[in-house]
Structure formats: C-alpha cells, structure tokens
Amino acid sequence: MKRFYIALIVTMLFACSEEPEELKSPQFELGEIQLLISRDSLPADNYTYAEIICVVDKRPTANDLLVFSTDKGLFANNTSTYSVNVSSSDTTRVYVKYNRPEIARITVSVFGYDTKEIYLNFIPAYPTKMFISPDSATLLPLFKSKTIVTSKLIRLNGVVSEGHFPVYYDSIDVDSGGSIGRFFNSTYSDSQGNSTVEYWLQDTSYHGFVYIKGYVNTDTGRIEGISRILIQ
C-alpha cells in the first residue's frame, strides 16, 4: 500500500509540471466572395459608371466593411478606394468611371480575410461633335503663310477619350473644290478633346475663302467639322 501512494504522488507531480497548451482564439471562416460586373466594355467618358456587384456568402459580424480599390478610374466618391458595410442582403454594388480606354483592375476584401479581383474593360469614348478653329481668320498669298488649326472634340455626356487622331483636308469650295495648302505636325487629342495641326499655304495665286475640314471616324460613323480662312 505504501508503494502505491508513492507512485501516485510521483504521477501527480509529473502531470503538474507539463506545459499547458497555447490558448487559441476562435478561427473565423469567411464564406466565398463573388465579384461580378453587370456590364462590361463601357465608354471611358468619365461619366458612364460601370456597376460592380459583390456577393458575400457569409457575414462575420453586422458591421463588417467591404474595402474596394481600383488601379484606374474612380469610384462614386471620386477616389480610388471605397469602403462600405456589407449589405443586409449580402449583395453590395459599387460604381466606377474612367476617362481612358484601358483595362482597370478592381479588388475587394473583408478585413483581409479574403480578397477577390476582377478586370473591367473601358472602351474609347467617341465625340458627337467636332469644332475647327484656325488661329488666324486671314492669310496673305505667300508660301510662308501658315496658321495653327485647333480641333475640339466634344461628347453629349462626359468627355471624349484621349488619343483620337483627326484627319484634315482643305478645299476652295465647300463641296468639291481643290486644295491649295498642306497640313503638318498633327497631334492626337488630349484629355480635353483638343488637338492641333499646322496649315501651310501652297498656292499663292488663289484669293478668296479656303475651307478647313476635318473628321474623326467613330463607332457610329464619321464626325466632321469645318471652318474657313480668307486668302487675301
């Protein structure tokens, strides 16, 4: 009996000397995040919003935030990041616009537990009107006579995408007259829809109006502009 009590005491001492296991916090398992685009290939006019739909299958808490970010364009809050509480229906919608025909990457995360990304394609936003304005209303009939011609591309809603390249030609008659000049150093349209070209007179024998014409090809047809210069 004495040996039994000694063995029992030794067993209890060794059991008390063992290190307790590390306490572990409860592990949260987030349901799947689905990221969808309701409509792709929208015009890059800085006006038309693409709708991004985020569906969270499981909500960890009532006040969880979805954090959206984009590498191009802006959300409806005019920044490249947008935070919003998970919708009670588990479906959240955010909106993105952009002014360049490029591919934007949209990402979303919930407190870093899960992250999803999707790619949104913006296509060129074409003009609906074109205005042509020479910086001089008259030119002398000399070979060195020239003027800078500015084109302005505008769109009914939003802005025209950058990078359009207008085509220019001249005519001494509105419809079918001949050319008396040449165009040099044409530029692509900028973020404001402006581009320029130099017009040089080549025929010194002509006197009267010369019409400066230009156009841009769009997805719905040709957009044209016209102006005129008096050759004295």
Side-chain angles (χ1 to χ4, degrees):
M1 180 65 80
K2 184 177 181 180
R3 291 180 179 178
F4 171 77
Y5 283 114
I6 294 174
L8 180 61
I9 293 171
V10 171
T11 301
M12 293 176 63
L13 288 173
F14 276 103
C16 292
S17 64
E18 290 181 359
E19 292 288 337
E21 290 187 6
E22 183 179 351
L23 294 176
K24 296 180 179 179
S25 59
Q27 295 299 304
F28 165 72
E29 293 183 2
L30 179 68
E32 182 182 358
I33 294 179
Q34 300 179 54
L35 202 56
L36 309 168
I37 299 173
S38 63
R39 182 185 168 195
D40 200 5
S41 300
L42 293 174
D45 57 9
N46 212 37
Y47 174 85
T48 304
Y49 280 100
E51 183 182 58
I52 311 299
I53 302 171
C54 181
V55 180
V56 180
D57 292 342
K58 180 179 179 181
R59 297 179 58 193
T61 63
N63 296 318
D64 277 325
L65 287 177
L66 288 170
V67 181
F68 294 87
S69 64
T70 178
D71 64 343
K72 295 170 184 173
L74 298 173
F75 291 102
N77 62 351
N78 285 322
T79 70
S80 60
T81 60
Y82 187 79
S83 299
V84 62
N85 290 107
V86 178
S87 171
S88 59
S89 66
D90 295 338
T91 299
T92 303
R93 289 173 168 82
V94 297
Y95 302 90
V96 181
K97 64 181 180 179
Y98 193 33
N99 64 349
R100 293 186 180 184
E102 298 176 342
I103 295 176
R105 182 181 66 185
I106 314 298
T107 61
V108 62
S109 64
V110 181
F111 289 123
Y113 285 115
D114 198 4
T115 300
K116 293 291 183 181
E117 66 180 26
I118 199 168
Y119 292 89
L120 177 63
N121 183 40
F122 286 96
I123 62 175
Y126 292 104
T128 54
K129 290 185 180 181
M130 179 180 186
F131 296 98
I132 295 178
S133 303
D135 68 355
S136 178
T138 61
L139 287 177
L140 295 174
L142 305 171
F143 284 119
K144 66 179 181 179
S145 292
K146 71 170 184 175
T147 183
I148 302 296
V149 177
T150 299
S151 293
K152 177 71 172 180
L153 303 177
I154 64 172
R155 184 176 171 86
L156 182 61
N157 292 312
V159 298
V160 178
S161 300
E162 295 182 43
H164 294 287
F165 194 76
V167 177
Y168 299 94
Y169 60 102
D170 68 331
S171 171
I172 58 175
D173 184 87
V174 174
D175 296 321
S176 59
S179 172
I180 61 169
R182 297 183 65 184
F183 295 90
F184 298 94
N185 301 320
S186 183
T187 67
Y188 288 89
S189 62
D190 60 18
S191 60
Q192 303 302 313
N194 297 321
S195 60
T196 60
V197 68
E198 295 179 6
Y199 177 70
W200 290 70
L201 193 63
Q202 301 292 301
D203 185 347
T204 61
S205 65
Y206 177 77
H207 301 275
F209 284 110
V210 59
Y211 294 88
I212 308 299
K213 307 172 185 178
Y215 66 87
V216 173
N217 289 319
T218 76
D219 56 346
T220 58
R222 180 176 290 186
I223 302 299
E224 300 176 313
I226 187 171
S227 186
R228 66 181 186 177
I229 302 171
L230 176 63
I231 310 300
Q232 296 179 330

